[in-house]
Amino acid sequence: MTADDPSTTVGVVVPRSRLRSTLRRRVARVRDSLPAVAQIVVAATAAYAFAHFVLGHPVPLLAATVTVSSLGLVRDARPWRVAETVMGMLVGILIAEIVLVTAGSGWWQIAVAMTTTLLVARFLSPQPGFALAAVVQSLIALVVVTGAPFLRLVDGAIGGAAALIVTALIPRTLRRTELRDADELFDALEVAMATIVRALRRGDRVRAERGLERARSLQTYVDAWSGSLESGREVARISPFLRRQRTELQRHERVRQSLDLATRNLRVVARRAAYLCADGETRPIPADLLAELARGASLVRDSLDDISLEPAARSAVVGVIRRLDPAALLPDGGVGELNLVAAMRPLAVDLLTAAGMPSAEARALLPRI
């Protein structure tokens, strides 16, 4: 086998390509984790140093472990979630302290404390992580017995306070994270709409079904944007450094709500397009209308980062919505084709509200049918 053999070339290129892709993903993962790493390191170090050097606690292990466990490496570290996790861990430490005071330390005391902590935690929260965080801290408090009674509870409270303070001072969910999630949703929306448009222009049933699948998958992107946006808004409420972003995040929430409705209505359009394309006939008029709506959605996307572009986005969608009269557009159209154009009407309204027009005004622009 020579060096020019195709199998040899493919055997070399594919692994290298896969390696580069894997390295890019890993570097991106590290980059995305930098805010979380900064939070954890700063908060845990500060909590330990305060408990040890200021309060004189000999081994304030729980001050650091509570901080690390409450913050974690998840991207969505909302203040209320951090507070909830802190409360769970403090409950576990409190139970361990009570067991130590009343029964001392030992193997069966560990069993009693862990059982009680797990049952109480499951009663307080439906989240499995809440119970696990509580029992781990309870176990540490029972195994590492140092200092006066309830000293570890104070350490835990210090760690929890440090976690909440650093959540405000070193925001984890930055604006670029929220915008990246929005971009991913708009990317997926653009691909889904383009697929449906091509299917209608060619009468391609297989492509139409692919467009329907892509439209159905949009909810995952909507949920991801919802999480990062809500996290950003909650952090902005308590962070002195993000006050200027509150109004912008509120505007993005309005766009997100409208896009959520738009993706649902696109699924209706996609289902009707898939049904129509089964006969193999081309349908250029509905295809052109949906393509124009897709261009309007693209302008809405651009307006997220630059509010001055909202008028252009509204103008683009208004140019379509005023023509969405199925009978006028398709005087000889069948019922299915008329219903397809009718299904675009609520989609156009959603895009207009995403571009900043009140819903009532957007609906008023629709032709009467």
Side-chain angles (χ1 to χ4, degrees), residues 84 88 91 95 115-128 130-132 134:
E84 182 183 60
V91 166
I95 292 172
T115 301
T116 305
T117 300
L118 286 170
L119 293 176
V120 171
R122 292 302 287 164
F123 174 79
L124 293 175
S125 173
Q127 301 298 328
F130 181 90
L132 292 177

Side-chain angles (χ1 to χ4, degrees), residues 96 100 105-106 110 136-146 152:
L100 281 171
S105 62
I110 290 176
V136 167
Q137 301 304 320
S138 178
L139 182 60
I140 293 174
L142 279 166
V143 172
V144 185
V145 182
T146 58
R152 286 161 297 280

